[in-house]
Amino acid sequence: MAERLDTPLEARRRWFHRRSKDPDRFGRLSEGVARFLGTPRFLIYLTIFCAVWMLWNTLAPVPLRFDSAALGFTALTLMLSLQASYSSPLILLAQNRQVNRDRVSAEQDRQRAERNLADTEYVARELAALRLALNDVATRDFVRSELRGLLEDIVEEREERIRDLERDLAGMQEDRAREQDHGQGP
């Protein structure tokens, strides 16, 4: 029976093909190593390691020495080169991951700034609309001045009415006085 070409073959599971449940685990590990390589603690550990290595291969009995000082500590040089050759790519990987995080953070900041700008513009438009609406609404000072004007008009009308009543009263008193003068007269 011919195999179908549109379906993949079943994957063979080998130890180097095992899929990690967390694909980002190596990246986090490399960042941890890179973070450790940049600490004073690492420099102190490396200095102590090199000093012990050189002291051992200089002061220990000849049969126990494993790296010759006469040859310039070749094994130590090789080990330090190996450490440097592994730490450089790990540091670069950690830097690339940081650049990706910074890019995502910058994109989120840009989106947040756009939302803030849109919100600010909306609030400015609403504030302008409120200002326009308030031009049509009577303010407290306007109402007070209108009431003051009405009160002054009422006071003037009252005073004029009082004057009219006083004139009428004066006229009535004069009429009464004339009637009394005519009634007592001839």
Side-chain angles (χ1 to χ4, degrees), residues 162-180:
I162 290 173
R163 274 183 256 137
D164 288 344
L165 288 173
E166 285 175 348
R167 271 187 255 131
D168 289 345
L169 184 61
M172 291 168 89
Q173 286 175 350
E174 285 176 12
D175 289 343
R176 199 181 276 172
R178 269 189 238 141
E179 284 177 11
Q180 286 178 355

Side-chain angles (χ1 to χ4, degrees), residues 133-184:
L134 281 177
N135 285 338
D136 298 337
V137 174
T139 62
R140 182 178 57 196
D141 294 336
F142 174 75
V143 170
R144 282 183 181 169
S145 68
E146 289 296 314
L147 287 174
R148 194 172 294 121
L150 288 173
L151 183 62
E152 288 172 0
D153 292 344
I154 291 171
V155 168
E156 282 179 29
E157 286 177 14
R158 189 188 74 178
E159 287 176 359
E160 189 162 326
R161 179 85 171 130
I162 290 173
R163 274 183 256 137
D164 288 344
L165 288 173
E166 285 175 348
R167 271 187 255 131
D168 289 345
L169 184 61
M172 291 168 89
Q173 286 175 350
E174 285 176 12
D175 289 343
R176 199 181 276 172
R178 269 189 238 141
E179 284 177 11
Q180 286 178 355
D181 285 341
H182 288 311
Q184 291 178 359

Side-chain angles (χ1 to χ4, degrees), residues 65-133:
R65 294 181 192 171
F66 52 87
D67 193 13
S68 172
L71 297 177
F73 298 110
T74 307
L76 178 63
T77 304
L78 289 174
M79 287 190 62
L80 292 175
S81 297
L82 180 67
Q83 180 267 331
S85 67
Y86 273 100
S87 64
S88 296
L90 288 175
I91 291 170
L92 289 175
L93 178 63
Q95 286 177 342
N96 289 341
R97 286 173 50 87
Q98 184 62 42
V99 165
N100 289 340
R101 276 196 300 272
D102 290 345
R103 186 179 304 120
V104 168
S105 177
E107 178 64 23
Q108 289 173 347
D109 288 345
R110 186 188 62 75
Q111 289 172 353
R112 194 174 304 116
E114 285 177 358
R115 282 193 307 269
N116 287 342
L117 180 62
D119 290 346
T120 303
E121 288 175 352
Y122 172 76
V123 169
R125 284 192 304 272
E126 289 297 313
L127 185 59
L130 284 173
R131 284 183 179 165
L132 289 174

